[in-house]
Amino acid sequence: MTARKRYWLMKSEPDAFSIDDLQRVGVEPWNGVRNYQARNFMRDGMKVGDGVMFYHSNTQVPGIVGLATIASEAYPDPTQFNPKSDYYDPKATRETPRWLLVDVKFDRKLKRNIPLDEIKLQADALGEGFPLIARGNRLSILPVTSAQWKVLLAME
């Protein structure tokens, strides 16, 4: 018996790492996550083969720009051990790492950016409390149900 496929929305600022960057490298470690809930999604929820919607945040027109796949199980984020890294955590040790990452594999760019403003118009179809449009949400990784995935892809 295989586990059911799950879906995720992963946010990145395009100036830091864009869908074009992911397309260029093919597979990238999703490092630098320093939120416990997002870390727990990677550790406890993500499995190889899960679907990812790649979302550009903190840009003039934020929105979903591409699709990717989870390419690895969670493993320790090496940036937490590097004192020269912006993501260094002096409380993390190799024996007891605090932060994890997964590898993300490029699938495709969307035919068009699906802007956040358009996504908000689909609030009823996406269901109450869809985390991307909930007020105050700042997580870089969000779960997406199969039904929400279909609604969002239909907007392409």
Side-chain angles (χ1 to χ4, degrees):
M1 175 185 253
T2 59
R4 70 177 173 86
K5 183 173 182 172
R6 293 185 177 173
Y7 300 97
W8 307 93
L9 186 140
M10 298 176 84
K11 297 179 187 178
S12 182
E13 295 180 9
D15 291 346
F17 191 80
S18 71
I19 190 68
D20 293 327
D21 294 324
L22 184 59
Q23 182 177 24
R24 182 177 39 78
V25 299
V27 176
E28 180 74 6
W30 202 264
N31 64 23
V33 173
R34 296 299 182 265
N35 174 282
Y36 287 107
Q37 187 174 3
R39 180 212 53 195
N40 293 349
F41 285 147
M42 289 191 289
R43 182 189 68 198
D44 303 330
M46 289 183 175
K47 302 294 179 217
V48 173
D50 283 357
V52 173
M53 290 187 161
F54 196 108
Y55 182 92
H56 280 173
S57 64
N58 199 22
T59 186
Q60 189 170 357
V61 181
I64 301 167
V65 295
L67 300 179
T69 302
I70 300 300
S72 76
E73 298 292 327
Y75 61 95
D77 181 342
T79 63
Q80 68 190 307
F81 309 121
N82 181 355
K84 295 180 182 168
S85 170
D86 290 341
Y87 303 114
Y88 175 64
D89 185 338
K91 294 181 181 176
T93 66
R94 294 196 185 276
E95 297 75 29
T96 55
R98 294 173 64 149
W99 305 109
L100 303 172
L101 60 76
V102 294
D103 293 337
V104 177
K105 181 178 88 51
F106 176 82
D107 285 346
R108 69 178 178 90
K109 290 167 96 172
L110 295 186
K111 294 172 192 149
R112 70 179 194 95
N113 176 15
I114 303 172
L116 177 59
D117 288 344
E118 285 184 33
I119 295 169
K120 288 178 178 178
L121 296 175
Q122 297 298 318
D124 288 343
L126 291 167
E128 188 174 326
F130 179 60
L132 181 63
I133 56 179
R135 291 186 66 83
N137 182 16
R138 296 291 180 255
L139 286 181
S140 61
I141 298 172
L142 305 169
V144 176
T145 67
S146 177
Q148 291 164 340
W149 179 271
K150 289 174 187 168
V151 168
L152 292 166
L153 274 186
M155 296 174 69
E156 183 181 12

